[in-house]
């Protein structure tokens, strides 16, 4: 006799809720079909379900995402870096209080070493045939950022080892929800042959039919809800041995959305827009923005960046502002719409010689048209560079750099404020090498713009 276990999984939705009604329909209908056939069904999310670019996610600080997982009947989830480090402590700590599913994060702790009341390292599900299914969750090790927000994040591999040791003799099947990325998943498959299935996320990898590494089956469903994953396990009912594993992906873009589903997706957006309708400022005139031109709005945000961080100078790419603001009331929704990035301010202490090298690099003609993906950036192109506290003067064949009206001194030290994405990408080697960096969390750039507009 055989037992069949169906596992559906999503990852890295990033609040692209336009796909969610189709995903909801798929997993709820499939659960009904399989249960009517006498099979087991489990549904998991592997993190970064929430992304604060969407007004509903931003307005509810992810609580709406928790609600959607409840409504779709998910059994468990883990968190990604978007849940973990784009929310203040109190917002993440309250995000899952109304959950109807298990939150599995083995490597997340409170600062005092206790576990959050809403999370645990693993959960064991018992099938109707008595099969014991251990499910573990781990998230990517961005410990420095978690620590700044009031959390303690341990090494995920160390925590995974502890969980596997506890589960290997107490379960028949072990499943890992891994928001670590494909390379770590492959490494884990080699290190832990006890893990039967690794459902992955973070690197947005697409494994159309899964990938076998050692004795583990790896699965990944891309990003933005473009795919929903389905893993099927066949077991011997008596011995509990796995006889067969299979992974496939369903292309959600091929799903024909009924009008009611389209209206649901639009409703999520409108609900968030309504919740963010609070006025934060009044503009006597419109403020235009264009990534290829200097504008008052991008200059204003660059100035706010320097002032907020109490830095000597600042620079920022104008492409950070996606469009201008109209005359009249400015709402929180307006600011989210023009500056949706989960990008924080960052300050770096550098010598004058290092700073000058960086600032001269920012004048490279390649920057304005450079297309950027990832690093939290939600725009399209870099755009021109805006500066505050920084001037360039041409003297003969030499470009001189002035900080607050004075020639930069090679051996002096300066505090530079920038968007944090410049510390992650390979934009400026001197910034990457800098030791004295400070990330200003949890404020996003749009929070700084709101702060600046209130005194406009």
């Amino acid at each position: 006799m055989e037992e069949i276990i169906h596992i559906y999984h999503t990852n890295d939705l990033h609040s692209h809720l336009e796909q969610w009604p189709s995903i909801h329909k798929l997993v709820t209908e499939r659960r009904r079909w399989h249960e009517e056939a006498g099979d087991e069904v489990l549904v998991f999310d592997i993190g970064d379900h929430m992304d604060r670019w969407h007004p509903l996610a931003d307005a509810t600080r992810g609580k709406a995402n928790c609600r959607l997982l409840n409504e779709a009947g998910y059994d468990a989830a883990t968190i990604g870096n978007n849940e973990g480090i784009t929310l203040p402590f109190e917002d993440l700590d309250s995000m899952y209080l109304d959950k109807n599913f298990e939150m599995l994060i083995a490597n997340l702790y409170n600062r005092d070493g206790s576990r959050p009341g809403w999370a645990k390292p693993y959960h064991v599900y018992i099938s109707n045939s008595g099969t014991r299914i251990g499910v573990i969750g781990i998230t990517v090790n961005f410990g420095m950022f978690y620590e700044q927000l009031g959390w303690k994040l341990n090494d995920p591999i160390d925590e995974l080892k502890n969980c596997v040791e506890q589960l290997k003799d107490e379960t028949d099947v072990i499943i890992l929800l891994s928001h670590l990325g494909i390379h770590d998943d492959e490494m884990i498959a080699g290190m832990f042959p006890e893990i039967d299935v690794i459902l992955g996320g973070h690197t947005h990898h697409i494994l159309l039919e899964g990938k076998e590494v050692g004795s583990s089956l790896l699965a990944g469903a891309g990003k933005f809800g473009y795919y929903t994953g389905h893993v099927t396990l066949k077991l011997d009912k008596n011995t509990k041995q796995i006889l067969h594993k299979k992974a496939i992906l369903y292309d959600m873009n091929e799903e024909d959305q009924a009008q009611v589903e389209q209206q649901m997706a639009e409703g999520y957006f409108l609900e968030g827009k309504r919740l963010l309708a609070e006025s934060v400022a009044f503009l006597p005139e419109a403020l235009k923005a264009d990534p290829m031109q200097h504008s008052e709005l991008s200059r204003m945000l660059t100035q706010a960046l320097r002032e907020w961080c109490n830095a000597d100078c600042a620079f920022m790419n104008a492409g950070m502002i996606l469009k201008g603001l109209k005359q009249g009331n400015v709402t929180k929704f307006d600011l989210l719409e023009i500056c949706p990035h989960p990008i924080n301010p960052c300050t770096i202490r550098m010598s004058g010689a290092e700073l000058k090298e960086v600032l001269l690099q920012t004048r490279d003609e390649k920057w304005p048209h450079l297309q950027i993906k990832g690093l939290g950036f939600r725009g399209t192109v870099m755009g021109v560079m805006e500066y505050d506290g920084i001037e360039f003067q041409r003297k003969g064949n030499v470009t001189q750099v002035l900080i607050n009206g004075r020639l930069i001194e090679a051996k002096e030290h300066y505090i530079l404020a920038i968007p944090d994405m410049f510390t992650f990408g390979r934009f400026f080697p001197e910034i990457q090498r800098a030791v004295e960096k400070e990330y200003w969390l949890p404020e996003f750039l749009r929070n700084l713009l709101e702060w600046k507009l209130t005194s406009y």
Side-chain angles (χ1 to χ4, degrees), residues 257-405:
Q257 275 195 340
Q259 186 176 3
V260 65
E261 292 172 311
Q262 294 174 10
Q263 289 173 343
M264 284 174 64
E266 291 169 5
Y268 299 145
F269 187 88
L270 293 174
E271 181 185 351
K273 183 177 181 179
R274 177 181 59 79
L275 292 171
L276 292 175
E278 177 188 344
S279 178
V280 297
F282 182 86
L283 294 181
E285 56 186 11
L287 293 175
K288 296 180 180 180
D290 182 337
M292 296 304 167
Q293 296 181 15
H294 299 283
S295 69
E296 185 174 359
L297 194 54
S298 56
R299 281 195 292 267
M300 183 183 296
L301 181 52
T302 310
Q303 186 179 43
L305 179 60
R306 180 184 62 79
E307 293 174 349
W308 181 270
C309 299
N310 195 27
D312 297 304
C313 55
F315 71 79
M316 185 199 76
N317 55 307
M320 206 63 81
I321 304 288
L322 303 193
K323 65 178 185 177
L325 291 170
K326 296 179 181 178
Q327 178 185 11
N329 281 323
V330 177
T331 67
K332 288 183 178 291
F333 173 79
D334 294 327
L335 295 180
L336 172 65
E337 195 173 33
I338 71 167
C339 195
H341 330 279
I343 290 176
N344 307 105
C346 177
T347 50
I348 302 176
R349 187 173 185 268
M350 312 180 78
S351 71
E354 293 169 326
L355 178 57
K356 182 177 181 180
E357 182 63 30
V358 169
L359 294 177
L360 291 177
Q361 289 174 38
T362 66
R363 291 165 62 82
D364 193 309
E365 293 179 357
K366 71 180 180 184
W367 292 121
H369 297 279
L370 182 67
Q371 295 187 349
I372 313 174
K373 289 186 178 180
L375 306 175
F377 189 65
R378 301 290 186 258
T380 53
V381 296
M382 180 79 79
V384 299
M385 287 293 183
E386 294 282 9
Y387 304 93
D388 193 66
I390 299 165
E391 297 174 71
F392 299 94
Q393 290 183 354
R394 194 74 177 172
K395 192 170 184 179
N397 294 324
V398 178
T399 299
Q400 294 182 329
V401 179
L402 289 80
I403 304 298
N404 296 313

Side-chain angles (χ1 to χ4, degrees), residues 18 40 55 158-159 162 178 190 209-210 213 269 330 337 351 362 372 399 403 413 441:
E18 61 271 19
E40 296 293 330
D158 291 343
E159 294 289 342
N162 293 335
S178 166
E209 296 181 342
V213 179
F269 187 88
V330 177
E337 195 173 33
S351 71
T362 66
I372 313 174
T399 299
I403 304 298
H413 280 82
L441 306 178

Side-chain angles (χ1 to χ4, degrees), residues 142-155:
F142 290 168
M144 177 180 69
F145 300 103
Y146 279 89
E147 185 178 348
Q148 277 192 251
L149 291 167
W151 299 103
K152 180 184 177 186
L153 199 70
N154 285 359
D155 181 88

